[in-house]
Amino acid sequence: MIRVLIADDQDLVRIGLRALVESEDDLALAGEAADGLRAVELARQERPDVVLMDIRMPGIDGIEATRRIVADPDLVGTRVVVLTTFELDEYVFDALRHGASGFLTKDTRPAELLRAIRLVAEGEALLSPSVTRRVVREFATRPSRVARPHPRLDALTDRERQVVGLVGEGLNNEEIAARLVVSPATARTHVSRAMGKLGARDRAQLVVFAYQSGLVSG
């Protein structure tokens, strides 16, 4: 059973998400929060598998709530999926930087949202490729951007650096395999090794590392 915590300050959004979660046999509602502080409190009490986190909430926003949840050693198994109204929300990248395992827009279809919950609960990262590419491109092309290479970047092979850059562009393993003309299994191996060497919590953090280290081209 995958336990899901819903954090959103809009009653109708919470009602809709609750109904969706409770309609599935393998999902269970772990609680609801209308503000960031309550989301953190419930996460610590209930230890959900997945938190659906709105960005704009009273008290502390979803980014700070995500940071506190991810930083809590007792919540190492809890994953956060950020829900945002706008595809190019300027806060999305900050959410990833602070440990979110992915993000979706609020107009995502129910089937895709359910798939996202299950993927993240299994330890995968959920990065909508089209949205990821636009968000990363938006930040990567800003004049004020300064590359801050990851301290373990030198441990990566040239191919692993290339793969991390492609992950940063929002490509999945199959797309990386096609781009590099290798098998999906080989692409998956490169991604796993890069995550291990960089100490990445999940695939979403590779996007952050790729951006910060200048491995993503605008």
Side-chain angles (χ1 to χ4, degrees), residues 142-153:
R142 288 186 175 183
S144 60
R145 178 197 181 206
V146 177
R148 295 181 178 84
H150 190 283
R152 302 182 199 168
L153 194 64

Side-chain angles (χ1 to χ4, degrees), residues 7-9 33-42 53-66 68-69:
D8 197 293
D9 64 342
D35 63 75
L37 285 172
R38 181 60 175 159
V40 175
E41 180 183 353
L42 278 176
M53 182 77 75
D54 186 25
I55 288 182
R56 295 178 179 85
M57 291 187 292
I60 61 172
D61 62 20
I63 295 173
E64 176 60 18
T66 294
R68 295 186 188 187
I69 289 171

Side-chain angles (χ1 to χ4, degrees), residues 40 43-44 47 66-77 201:
V40 175
R44 288 170 175 164
R47 300 191 182 184
T66 294
R67 187 193 69 77
R68 295 186 188 187
I69 289 171
V70 172
D72 192 324
D74 292 330
L75 297 176
V76 67
R201 174 185 171 94

Side-chain angles (χ1 to χ4, degrees), residues 63-203:
I63 295 173
E64 176 60 18
T66 294
R67 187 193 69 77
R68 295 186 188 187
I69 289 171
V70 172
D72 192 324
D74 292 330
L75 297 176
V76 67
T78 297
R79 297 290 184 264
V80 178
V81 175
V82 170
L83 300 179
T84 177
T85 304
F86 305 104
E87 289 188 345
L88 283 178
D89 192 318
E90 65 184 66
Y91 298 110
V92 166
F93 189 82
D94 280 342
L96 291 176
R97 184 166 59 86
H98 286 297
S101 291
F103 58 89
L104 290 170
T105 55
K106 287 188 177 180
D107 60 359
T108 296
R109 294 181 178 180
E112 186 177 348
L113 180 58
L114 291 171
R115 173 179 171 272
I117 291 171
R118 294 179 177 114
L119 279 175
V120 170
E122 292 172 0
E124 297 292 328
L126 182 88
L127 297 170
S128 172
S130 61
V131 177
T132 302
R133 290 179 190 127
R134 287 196 291 272
V135 170
V136 173
R137 187 175 297 116
E138 169 73 12
F139 281 87
T141 55
R142 288 186 175 183
S144 60
R145 178 197 181 206
V146 177
R148 295 181 178 84
H150 190 283
R152 302 182 199 168
L153 194 64
D154 290 341
L156 300 183
T157 65
D158 289 342
R159 177 48 61 92
E160 287 165 354
R161 283 180 180 235
Q162 189 177 14
V163 166
V164 172
L166 295 176
V167 170
E169 290 181 25
L171 273 63
N172 60 33
N173 290 340
E174 289 70 24
E175 291 170 327
I176 291 173
R179 179 80 65 88
L180 300 180
V181 195
V182 298
S183 71
T186 298
R188 186 163 49 249
T189 297
H190 286 313
V191 170
S192 296
R193 286 177 178 169
M195 286 177 60
K197 290 180 180 180
L198 295 176
R201 174 185 171 94
D202 57 26
R203 195 181 183 99

Side-chain angles (χ1 to χ4, degrees), residues 2 4-8 10-25 27-34 52 83 110 113-114 117:
I2 300 171
V4 182
L5 172 64
I6 297 168
D8 197 293
Q10 296 183 34
D11 293 343
L12 286 177
V13 173
R14 292 200 311 277
I15 290 171
L17 291 173
R18 181 205 311 153
L20 187 62
V21 167
E22 292 181 336
S23 70
E24 300 297 304
D25 293 338
L27 305 183
L29 185 67
E32 297 180 36
L52 299 179
L83 300 179
L113 180 58
L114 291 171
I117 291 171

